Amino acid sequence: PKEVEVWDGGAKVVYKVASLPLADEVPIEGVPKGPRGYHWRPTEAATLVWTEALDDGDPRRKVPHRDRVVMLRAPFAGRPAEVFKTEHRFNGLQWHEDGRLAFVRDLDRDRRWVRTQLVEVGDPRAEPRVVWSHSTRERYDNPGTAVTRTLPNGGRVVMRHGDFVYLTGTGSTPEGDRPFLDRMSLKTLKAERLFRSDAQAYETVVALVTDDARQIITKRERPVEPGNYYVRTLGGSGAAGDSTMRALTNLPDATPQLQGIKKQLIKYKRADGVELSFTLYLPPGYKEGTRLPTVVWAYPLEFNDPATAGQVTGSTQRYTSITGPSHLFFLLAGYAVLDNTTMPIVGDPETMNNTYVEQIVAGAKAAIDKAAEMGVTDPERVGVGGHSYGAFMTANLLAHSDLFRAGIARSGAYNRTLTPFGFQSERRTLWEAPEMYVKVSPFMVAHKINEPILLIHGEADNNTGTFPIQSERMYQALRGHGATVRYVTLPLEAHGYAARETTEHVLYEMIGWFDRHVKNAGPRKSEQKAEK
């Protein structure tokens, strides 16, 4: 339970916004009843804004409007004024610096569709205008986000220049990301491109030097050039080639030993026709035609349709850097790495996990087949790994396929009956879909995992779905069936790992495990043993 209050400078309560009960009955993908999402309106003094559910927070209720945004000015007398009602779940609000307009987003849960409308605040007669409407997973046609600036009071607002606002985005394309800067008219809602990164580099817009965007600051990098900052003066068309640039920094390459790493975007198809991709990393000194031990590293994502599932993200033009306990360190040990291997789960949001196992196995097979076809991967020496939901995927792939020689599962969940009220985007509870919860739990098929698996988990994991007991029980299940398994716990570490000692330890464990069970693997054995 919580009390939501407005205090003055002397800690005196001047207004009670809400007295909220314990939020222990919030529906899956729902929101609590009552006020939520409080913030001060940046363009008005002492004006509080918040959101309220109109459907009792239940996404399955059929209502004309799910949320409303309200505001109340000091001295907080009377009833809050309604700013806007959203047809679907409220998903965010950005105030314009003129104080009159705002971008309001709502999210259609069923379609996984986000819509942004331009709202004229304070004028109920003004009809909101739809600015953008697209899938939450849309990459190629994603309009980007509005450029903001900080006001003297500390609030952030959408930057305006006359009737124009500016947008920046990753600019995903089938060939990789090409970040951009657009200028959009608030009258016509049409955008024109002022700048786009060229295809031989990865250049992002950091800030606007002038309000008319004739001068901007960018950060530019290439695979063998670290990111440096530049001032660009844009030409008439605004294309990267029609601008002049002046260097602000000259940061040297801190890791020249990585320059020999090669990377390439590889696209291919799953057996059912869904388009997939991975970034192929090859170690320094790689000789063409040499088949290498290979690491497949992935994290499954959910999609409503195959078209968006097949869209490419990332860029091969980014400066190659390796930090933390990254799987890319395998490159320095002579492995090929299939990074960001797409593992889409495609289907109806209500039932897509019914075929989770089949889809990840098909995705993994397609990736290995493609890398083997290219002559870079030895299909008899492939390991798989992932963190969190990627660890869940890893254990399932070892249980339901014989594609890999070993696996590394970091901070994962393996028994879905211990997350009975949903996981990732799953909307059904254990009691609504018990067969699916059992089917996707590698703990339930631990006896089928006959490849070596390394389990790593932070002892202070702060992620609600991946309590350390998940790895503890998975280890015991595997050990009880005679599997080759090692369980490493990381003192004081949360879901993500931070300490230098942890980074070094995790890398030691990961590289040693795959050197033993993948790179130098002998003939496949049906019997495995437990490792303490």
Side-chain angles (χ1 to χ4, degrees):
K2 64 181 67 174
E3 302 295 321
V4 185
E5 302 167 341
V6 177
W7 292 4
D8 65 13
K12 177 183 176 183
V13 178
V14 297
Y15 178 68
K16 180 180 286 291
V17 181
S19 181
L20 301 175
L22 183 66
D24 60 347
E25 296 181 352
V26 178
I28 294 176
E29 294 191 345
V31 296
K33 299 177 182 179
R36 70 180 196 276
Y38 328 94
H39 70 271
W40 294 105
R41 182 174 175 179
T43 56
E44 296 283 345
T47 301
L48 188 64
V49 183
W50 67 87
T51 308
E52 297 176 348
L54 298 175
D55 60 357
D56 290 332
D58 187 348
R60 297 188 179 185
R61 286 192 59 187
K62 303 298 182 182
V63 293
H65 296 94
R66 296 216 170 271
D67 282 319
R68 70 170 187 158
V69 180
V70 299
M71 65 181 177
L72 186 62
R73 296 183 175 88
F76 310 108
R79 299 176 64 83
E82 186 176 284
V83 178
F84 189 67
K85 286 182 179 179
T86 59
E87 179 183 358
H88 303 291
R89 184 67 67 212
F90 174 77
N91 191 242
L93 182 152
Q94 286 183 296
W95 297 94
H96 288 221
E97 61 181 326
D98 66 355
R100 185 176 59 88
L101 299 176
F103 286 143
V104 179
R105 296 190 307 276
D106 65 351
L107 173 65
D108 183 343
R109 169 183 178 270
D110 294 334
R111 299 171 60 207
R112 286 205 180 102
W113 202 266
V114 64
R115 174 178 59 179
T116 302
Q117 298 184 78
L118 183 62
V119 176
E120 191 163 335
V121 181
D123 186 355
R125 298 169 300 175
E127 288 291 326
R129 292 189 290 163
V130 176
V131 185
W132 306 297
S133 181
H134 56 83
S135 166
T136 57
R137 297 293 195 194
E138 179 59 49
R139 296 163 177 145
Y140 294 169
D141 293 327
N142 193 304
T145 58
V147 174
T148 61
R149 75 160 107 232
T150 304
L151 297 179
N153 63 11
R156 294 197 68 84
V157 292
V158 175
M159 177 182 172
R160 288 276 300 273
H161 180 64
D163 290 325
F164 294 95
V165 297
Y166 299 98
L167 310 170
T168 59
T170 56
S172 297
T173 74
E175 288 71 45
D177 293 350
R178 295 181 62 183
F180 64 85
L181 171 69
D182 284 355
R183 178 175 64 186
M184 186 183 77
S185 167
L186 293 176
K187 290 184 177 180
T188 65
L189 301 183
K190 301 295 184 182
E192 60 175 320
R193 186 131 300 173
L194 301 180
F195 169 80
R196 186 188 188 196
S197 175
D198 62 65
Q200 286 70 49
Y202 183 84
E203 190 169 0
T204 58
V205 176
V206 176
L208 275 58
V209 178
T210 58
D211 285 356
D212 62 1
R214 292 303 298 272
Q215 280 195 326
I216 60 175
I217 295 176
T218 66
K219 182 181 180 183
R220 180 182 174 88
E221 58 189 277
R222 297 179 61 241
V224 295
E225 295 177 11
N228 275 287
Y229 294 89
Y230 296 85
V231 174
R232 277 194 177 271
T233 301
L234 301 183
S237 68
D242 295 326
S243 62
T244 59
M245 55 192 297
R246 173 171 57 88
L248 287 176
T249 61
N250 185 24
L251 303 175
D253 187 349
T255 53
Q257 62 268 43
L258 303 183
Q259 286 200 6
I261 293 174
K262 299 178 181 179
K263 52 186 172 181
Q264 179 183 358
L265 174 65
I266 305 299
K267 294 187 285 187
Y268 53 101
K269 289 186 178 182
R270 205 165 66 181
D272 59 2
V274 175
E275 295 185 354
L276 306 176
S277 65
F278 58 72
T279 299
L280 171 65
Y281 283 83
L282 295 172
Y286 172 74
K287 294 182 180 179
E288 188 173 350
T290 304
R291 290 191 180 273
L292 299 175
T294 300
V295 176
V296 175
W297 201 267
Y299 188 97
L301 293 174
E302 297 87 356
F303 297 86
N304 282 34
D305 62 273
T308 51
Q311 292 182 350
V312 173
T313 59
S315 171
T316 57
Q317 298 305 317
R318 301 206 67 171
Y319 171 67
T320 301
S321 62
I322 308 178
T323 59
S326 171
H327 52 282
L328 294 181
F329 274 107
F330 279 107
L331 293 164
L332 304 183
Y335 292 77
V337 175
L338 311 188
D339 188 32
N340 194 26
T341 305
T342 52
M343 292 283 183
I345 312 303
V346 185
D348 186 328
E350 299 291 339
T351 59
M352 62 173 54
N353 280 323
N354 290 356
T355 57
Y356 172 88
V357 170
E358 292 83 356
Q359 293 198 55
I360 62 168
V361 170
K365 184 179 186 306
I368 295 173
D369 287 349
K370 182 62 178 181
E373 175 191 313
M374 296 175 64
V376 300
T377 288
D378 178 355
E380 289 300 312
R381 293 188 297 161
V382 183
V384 61
H387 188 92
S388 192
Y389 204 50
F392 173 68
M393 171 207 72
T394 295
N396 265 307
L397 286 172
L398 296 184
H400 296 286
S401 77
D402 291 314
L403 298 168
F404 302 98
R405 299 305 301 270
I408 297 172
R410 301 189 330 201
S411 299
Y414 312 102
N415 183 350
R416 284 304 170 193
T417 69
L418 299 181
T419 57
F421 291 98
F423 55 92
Q424 292 298 105
S425 296
E426 178 54 53
R427 298 173 176 179
R428 297 165 293 177
T429 69
L430 166 64
W431 299 276
E432 292 173 311
E435 297 85 359
M436 182 276 295
Y437 272 74
V438 170
K439 177 183 177 181
V440 303
S441 295
F443 178 83
M444 301 299 182
V445 286
H447 61 292
K448 293 185 177 181
I449 296 179
N450 53 19
E451 297 87 8
I453 182 169
L454 172 64
L455 303 173
I456 302 176
H457 217 121
E459 291 183 0
D461 196 318
N462 57 341
N463 186 44
T464 56
T466 53
F467 291 119
I469 194 175
Q470 290 274 3
S471 289
E472 294 169 10
R473 293 296 181 262
M474 187 64 178
Y475 170 71
Q476 295 293 349
L478 290 164
R479 188 170 180 236
H481 284 96
T484 300
V485 54
R486 179 172 174 82
Y487 177 36
V488 177
T489 65
L490 307 174
L492 306 178
E493 291 290 358
H495 192 59
Y497 315 147
R500 174 184 291 184
E501 294 91 337
T502 299
T503 295
E504 294 172 344
H505 187 184
V506 169
L507 290 175
Y508 164 79
E509 294 284 356
M510 288 171 47
I511 294 174
W513 190 256
F514 273 3
D515 277 355
R516 192 182 327 160
H517 299 294
V518 176
K519 179 190 285 187
N520 300 309
R524 290 181 181 268
K525 297 179 180 179
S526 58
E527 295 184 359
Q528 309 292 338
K529 65 178 180 178
E531 181 175 320
K532 296 183 180 179

